[in-house]
Amino acid sequence: MYRFIGIEDLAANALIELLEKGDCRRVDFETLVKYGHAVISVLRENGDEATLLLSKEYRNELIRNYSDFFEIIHNEQKNDAIVLREGKTVEDLRNRFRAFLTLDCLRAFTNSKSLAELGVAV
């Protein structure tokens, strides 16, 4: 099966893990890309093909379509980051972004290889 992993699903799943394991409400783009590549690798190991949708156009769509959840913080000295808006919780993220994930995608997002790229222990 061929899958497309959008920046919104990648960011939401990264933030769920970061919040649960360290109360961090932001993920920088460099870390997000590494996490995404690990997720793709896990899916491929299980026989699925996948592509990340992370271009600037998809970043703009993220803000346009999910501005109630995310904002992008631009920083010249550090990487730009996606930040979870105040008032949004892990439960909000789970209900919106994990409720309809297939089990193999969920497993790829929460695989120890993927989580290692976020810097969170299993």
Side-chain angles (χ1 to χ4, degrees), residues 39-97:
V39 168
I40 295 296
S41 176
V42 170
L43 287 169
R44 287 183 178 156
E45 287 171 9
N46 294 320
D48 289 328
E49 287 297 315
T51 297
L52 292 173
L53 304 176
L54 299 176
S55 71
K56 187 170 183 161
E57 181 180 321
Y58 290 111
R59 290 179 191 183
N60 290 339
E61 277 187 33
L62 171 79
I63 296 306
R64 189 170 41 252
N65 296 332
Y66 302 100
S67 61
D68 55 329
F69 277 90
F70 309 111
E71 63 183 312
I72 294 179
I73 303 296
H74 300 285
N75 189 335
E76 291 184 25
Q77 289 145 4
K78 291 185 175 181
N79 269 336
D80 293 348
I82 296 175
V83 178
L84 183 64
R85 290 210 180 264
E86 287 299 320
K88 291 296 182 181
T89 66
V90 169
E91 272 313 302
D92 295 329
L93 289 170
R94 282 183 187 284
N95 290 335
R96 176 61 184 93
F97 295 97

Side-chain angles (χ1 to χ4, degrees), residues 35 47 56 73 109 118 120:
Y35 176 60
K56 187 170 183 161
I73 303 296
F109 282 124
L118 294 175
V120 295

